[in-house]
Amino acid sequence: MNMVGIDRTELAQLIRVEGLVQGVGFRPTVWHLAQRLGLRGTVCNDGSGVLLHVCGPSDAVEQFVCALRDEAPPLARIERIRRAHAQTLPADAGFVIQPSRPGAVRTAIAPDAASCPACVAEVFDPAARRYRHPFANCAHCGPRLSIVRGIPYDRSSTSMRAFVMCPSCRSEYEDPADRRFHAQPIACPQCGPQAQLALADGAIIAPSRLGALDAPDAVRMLLLRGDIVAIKGLGGFQLACDAVNAETVARLRRNKHRDHKPFALMARDLDQMRRYCIVTDEEEKLLCSPAAPIVVLARRSDAPTNTVPLAQGVAPGLRTLGFMLPNTALHHLILQAMTHPIVLTSGNRCGEPQQIDNQQALQQLGAIADVFLLHDRDITRRVDDSVLRMVAGHSRVLRRARGMAPLALQMPPGFGGEPPVLALGGELKNSFCLLQGGRAVVSHHIGDLQDAPTFADFQQSVRDYLQLFEHKPAILAVDRHPNYLSGTFGRAWHENPGDNDGLDLIEIGHHHAHIAACLAENGMPLDTPAVIGVALDGLGYGANGELWGGEFLHAGYDQCRRLATFKPVALIGGAQAMREPWRNTYAHLVAAIGWERLAQEHGALHLVRRLAVKPRALLDGMLRGGVNSPLASSCGRLFDAVAAACGICFDRAAYEGQAAMEFEALADEQALAREHDSNAYRFAISHLPDTDLPFLDPLPMWRALLDALAHDTPTPLIAARFHKGLAIAISAMVHKLSADAGPAYALRTVALSGGVFQNRILLEQVTQRLQAGGFDVLSHRQVPANDGGLSLGQAAIAAARALARSGTMDDGAARSATGSAACV
């Protein structure tokens, strides 16, 4: 008998592979490698990943282990490989793929993946068994998160359990040499889900009545004749219409009550997309990746001859378009013969969650869509489309959902021993985060919790993820804002004796969480010295109930102290100021100059005349008495104020950030690149009288802007000079804070976070200027800079505090984590 340690030509090992290794074709890859290298043994899935027992010549085993990483399937993501000696197997043992084993859940669940080229080719091959099958998939593509009910990821734990495989599919499923080996959603036209057309009352429409080959072909014909079609996609229903039909696009906006927010587009292929947008090599890689996200692209100003123009209502006021490629066989079939793009937006009523159930979709979307494309495969959880944009040479996630969630993020060095954390995120663009064992699972995009159905979906999704990952939190992390519904949910859970069971609740400052998220996704170790954090957004709860939104912080994972801010200005009408930008313009001008002086010096300006007819007596009374006019250091509201001053969204913003986005879109790129900095609209650095805290004072900027308006300076030039001036001011404040701290603190790393940094111009300008000044600049790539990334930062802070209390951190990290917590 050959024993390990005696016969050194033989090596037997147990190999544990952790990470995203289930549902991605990993076991058949292992089987192929073992066959090639002449190894014997077993491989199986369990709750921790993939477990292998491998035996054979020692050099072959070593080659095998190296090949596990080098030749992993395209969707796999290996986090760790662990090895241990094992019993030698008989010489005739062969290599066997074993059934999955139960166990504690510590493995990742794969995101939904776009159709691979091999499956797409089959769908359009008349000789293939899956010709025109809308649900073709294999181990390298297809639904995962949107159909899984539990792990290990097997067919019995998915919504495909309802479909019994035919003998042909069963043969493919059980053949390790087939790319559909253990592809859990495997199906064909004989045994899989079926698509059908229906009206809102549920009446079925036969495609032959329309002269169509099948349901997808009928959808194409309906779109071309001007209908709005609700399509049951991978993670929920989508509303589709012809993107060049202005009347239909306008009707979709009316029916959905979505006035101006841009619609996403789907193009048949890259060539079609390039007729409307510039697509760089990096953007092409994103579009063609397994995630197949929406990518925000620059519009072409020189469309090729005979290009049918898109309806103006697709993305009003913007110089970008959000495009994606077909991500399922169903979408490929619909788009195959389309000569121009289609609008493809979430299948919901404005502000509500995306529909996933057939009957509810018929009821809720019946007043929006003319026809429905349904199928009978259940969607276990709604997953919207991910959105990315290339900025400053890197892809930036604006919304993390289909194709990306729930990929686990590996936490930086120093994490790993923390108790299980559940961080519940913010109020808008919500996501939540499960952190344990140094791995953070950030949920798919949930949405704005102010809408009751979305809040209900949030609560269900939290319960769903806890069950799916068998995560029992010891710590709940919530935003410090007393009225955020995510926090209300967390506090109610903590206060319920039946649910508490030793559960700790930690309240975390909004902007501190933004910076911590940026540190975590950039791999900054737990004991990293505090950095300068610049957190710019619309609004968040600060110290002592103050409203913040333009903050310079001295922040680590637990340490946080406010160093400087933007000038606090009143939000006249509170939340109403977020919907009516002119209120911010009025508040800023009154705070900077005063109405009487403004009217005296600039009374002839159209802007001042427009403000003069507003109910100023009421507004001034609110300002004097502090009635529903809280002070806020909001950078987002500053953008609103400046945009409205230039006539953009003056009376009303139809969606969050509209004024700022349209203002950014107008900026003169030539002026940004070539004008001297002296032409930029400057800010001053002053000090708040009560605290002597430095702040960016916009008074010089307002004087320059008013002068520009008086001289009829083109709005694109004003926009460019404002963006550049703000970037110069932010950079100047960072330099000042670094110099004031002195060389002992070595504040030479800057973390940029908050929704305002999704502004391409501002992020690029600030990054370039800080890097030129010798600073290391961290910014977001894997999670959104907006509140969609907030939960990751909350989880990191909660974990850091827990590790500091437990004494499992080294002395330096513990001192950092228990340092100043003045910034809440």
Side-chain angles (χ1 to χ4, degrees), residues 590-653:
V590 168
I593 300 173
W595 179 259
E596 296 301 328
R597 187 170 183 178
L598 178 71
Q600 180 182 5
E601 296 178 356
H602 301 283
L605 284 181
H606 180 61
L607 166 63
V608 177
R609 295 200 305 271
R610 292 184 77 178
L611 291 173
V613 299
K614 298 295 183 181
R616 289 194 309 101
L618 175 62
L619 301 176
D620 291 344
M622 294 172 66
L623 289 172
R624 284 193 300 271
V627 178
N628 197 21
S629 299
L631 293 176
S633 54
S634 171
C635 185
R637 300 292 79 80
L638 171 64
F639 265 92
D640 287 349
V642 175
C646 295
I648 300 166
C649 302
F650 183 83
D651 287 309
R652 178 176 175 268

Side-chain angles (χ1 to χ4, degrees), residues 340-397:
H340 46 263
I342 64 170
V343 166
L344 200 65
T345 188
S346 297
N348 57 354
R349 294 188 297 198
C350 187
E352 295 186 359
Q354 188 178 19
Q355 295 296 324
I356 61 173
D357 177 77
N358 287 353
Q359 291 304 313
Q360 290 183 4
L362 291 170
Q363 295 170 8
Q364 298 296 319
L365 305 179
I368 301 176
D370 303 306
V371 184
F372 290 76
L373 178 60
L374 309 173
H375 62 74
D376 53 351
R377 183 178 70 200
D378 287 344
I379 298 172
T380 60
R381 62 189 50 78
R382 59 179 50 83
V383 187
D384 215 326
D385 297 312
S386 292
V387 184
L388 283 77
R389 188 180 188 184
M390 290 295 302
V391 180
H394 298 283
S395 63
R396 314 281 177 172
V397 175

Side-chain angles (χ1 to χ4, degrees), residues 81-345:
I81 296 177
R82 293 187 290 169
R83 304 167 62 175
H85 291 300
Q87 181 179 1
T88 301
L89 299 171
D92 60 350
F95 197 91
V96 179
I97 298 178
Q98 295 181 331
S100 297
R101 301 177 184 178
V105 175
R106 290 189 295 275
T107 190
I109 296 175
D112 299 311
S115 298
C116 68
C119 284
V120 174
E122 283 185 343
V123 168
F124 291 113
D125 180 2
R129 197 163 66 85
R130 291 180 176 81
Y131 176 59
R132 297 196 66 81
H133 179 50
F135 308 100
N137 65 84
C138 69
H140 306 305
C141 67
R144 264 79 169 174
L145 177 65
S146 60
I147 63 168
V148 70
R149 299 188 191 277
I151 52 177
Y153 175 69
D154 287 322
R155 191 178 181 93
S156 61
S157 300
T158 73
S159 59
M160 285 300 295
R161 181 178 182 176
F163 301 92
V164 179
M165 281 183 269
C166 68
S168 296
C169 285
R170 171 64 66 180
S171 176
E172 294 170 329
Y173 182 83
E174 294 177 349
D175 181 3
D178 195 286
R179 79 173 196 279
R180 290 191 168 91
F181 176 76
H182 279 222
Q184 307 308 334
I186 186 175
C188 71
Q190 283 67 49
C191 66
Q194 301 295 314
Q196 57 183 196
L197 291 175
L199 298 174
D201 61 4
I204 303 302
I205 306 172
S208 58
R209 285 178 49 191
L210 300 171
L213 292 171
D214 48 27
D217 188 44
V219 168
R220 175 187 61 83
M221 299 171 67
L222 293 167
L223 293 172
L224 289 174
R225 82 177 190 184
D227 284 348
I228 298 170
V229 183
I231 299 170
K232 189 176 184 181
L234 203 59
F237 276 83
Q238 299 162 313
L239 293 166
C241 75
D242 187 347
V244 305
N245 189 323
E247 182 179 341
T248 306
V249 172
R251 183 162 65 91
L252 177 57
R253 285 204 177 277
R254 289 195 303 272
N255 292 356
K256 192 175 162 72
H257 302 294
R258 179 168 166 164
D259 293 344
H260 291 89
K261 195 172 184 179
F263 282 139
L265 298 165
M266 179 175 280
R268 179 189 62 207
D269 51 37
L270 287 168
D271 288 341
Q272 190 178 91
M273 197 181 293
R274 287 191 173 100
R275 300 185 72 86
Y276 299 92
C277 289
I278 299 168
V279 183
T280 66
D281 291 345
E282 293 80 7
E283 289 163 342
E284 179 178 337
K285 291 176 184 176
L286 295 177
L287 289 161
C288 297
S289 69
I294 297 169
V295 178
V296 179
L297 305 171
R299 288 189 194 233
R300 291 189 63 154
S301 58
D302 57 343
T305 307
N306 300 326
T307 299
V308 183
L310 299 174
Q312 289 187 351
V314 166
L318 301 180
R319 292 195 296 195
T320 56
L321 294 169
F323 259 112
M324 59 181 153
L325 291 169
N327 51 69
T328 71
L330 178 66
H331 292 94
H332 278 283
L333 289 166
I334 293 170
L335 272 291
Q336 176 193 20
M338 291 291 294
T339 58
H340 46 263
I342 64 170
V343 166
L344 200 65
T345 188

Side-chain angles (χ1 to χ4, degrees), residues 295-649:
V295 178
V296 179
L297 305 171
R299 288 189 194 233
R300 291 189 63 154
S301 58
D302 57 343
T305 307
N306 300 326
T307 299
V308 183
L310 299 174
Q312 289 187 351
V314 166
L318 301 180
R319 292 195 296 195
T320 56
L321 294 169
F323 259 112
M324 59 181 153
L325 291 169
N327 51 69
T328 71
L330 178 66
H331 292 94
H332 278 283
L333 289 166
I334 293 170
L335 272 291
Q336 176 193 20
M338 291 291 294
T339 58
H340 46 263
I342 64 170
V343 166
L344 200 65
T345 188
S346 297
N348 57 354
R349 294 188 297 198
C350 187
E352 295 186 359
Q354 188 178 19
Q355 295 296 324
I356 61 173
D357 177 77
N358 287 353
Q359 291 304 313
Q360 290 183 4
L362 291 170
Q363 295 170 8
Q364 298 296 319
L365 305 179
I368 301 176
D370 303 306
V371 184
F372 290 76
L373 178 60
L374 309 173
H375 62 74
D376 53 351
R377 183 178 70 200
D378 287 344
I379 298 172
T380 60
R381 62 189 50 78
R382 59 179 50 83
V383 187
D384 215 326
D385 297 312
S386 292
V387 184
L388 283 77
R389 188 180 188 184
M390 290 295 302
V391 180
H394 298 283
S395 63
R396 314 281 177 172
V397 175
L398 307 185
R399 183 169 71 196
R400 193 173 186 271
R402 178 185 55 76
M404 303 189 74
L407 277 176
L409 302 175
Q410 196 68 30
M411 293 295 286
F415 291 92
E418 68 279 344
V421 177
L422 170 61
L424 293 173
E427 181 90 341
L428 304 178
K429 299 178 176 62
N430 176 272
S431 75
F432 54 89
C433 178
L434 282 58
L435 173 59
Q436 185 174 6
R439 296 169 70 244
V441 175
V442 179
S443 77
H444 59 285
H445 168 81
I446 303 295
D448 298 349
L449 303 188
Q450 296 167 343
D451 179 78
T454 304
F455 182 48
D457 180 55
F458 159 79
Q459 297 174 75
Q460 180 57 46
S461 295
V462 169
R463 291 189 287 267
D464 192 19
Y465 268 65
L466 294 179
Q467 180 272 328
L468 191 60
F469 290 94
E470 295 186 5
H471 186 88
K472 183 174 175 57
I475 301 173
L476 280 178
V478 300
D479 192 282
R480 190 173 288 274
H481 197 295
N483 298 323
Y484 277 8
L485 289 172
S486 56
T488 300
F489 172 74
R491 292 183 185 95
W493 181 355
H494 177 255
E495 292 166 5
N496 187 331
D499 295 335
N500 194 329
D501 193 23
L503 190 65
D504 286 337
L505 181 75
I506 297 180
E507 296 183 337
I508 293 170
H510 188 91
H511 299 91
H512 184 193
H514 270 309
I515 301 304
C518 187
L519 295 176
E521 76 152 271
N522 279 279
M524 303 300 285
L526 180 61
D527 60 355
T528 297
V531 305
I532 296 178
V534 184
L536 309 182
D537 60 7
L539 211 63
Y541 213 62
N544 304 317
E546 297 171 334
L547 297 180
W548 291 359
E551 309 309 321
F552 298 82
L553 308 173
H554 182 234
Y557 286 109
D558 190 57
Q559 175 183 359
C560 184
R561 180 168 56 90
R562 196 186 197 192
L563 298 177
T565 186
F566 277 50
K567 181 179 181 178
V569 176
L571 296 176
I572 304 177
Q576 197 67 13
M578 304 177 195
R579 295 184 284 269
E580 298 179 359
W582 67 266
R583 292 173 178 265
N584 301 294
T585 311
Y586 184 80
H588 263 275
L589 288 172
V590 168
I593 300 173
W595 179 259
E596 296 301 328
R597 187 170 183 178
L598 178 71
Q600 180 182 5
E601 296 178 356
H602 301 283
L605 284 181
H606 180 61
L607 166 63
V608 177
R609 295 200 305 271
R610 292 184 77 178
L611 291 173
V613 299
K614 298 295 183 181
R616 289 194 309 101
L618 175 62
L619 301 176
D620 291 344
M622 294 172 66
L623 289 172
R624 284 193 300 271
V627 178
N628 197 21
S629 299
L631 293 176
S633 54
S634 171
C635 185
R637 300 292 79 80
L638 171 64
F639 265 92
D640 287 349
V642 175
C646 295
I648 300 166
C649 302

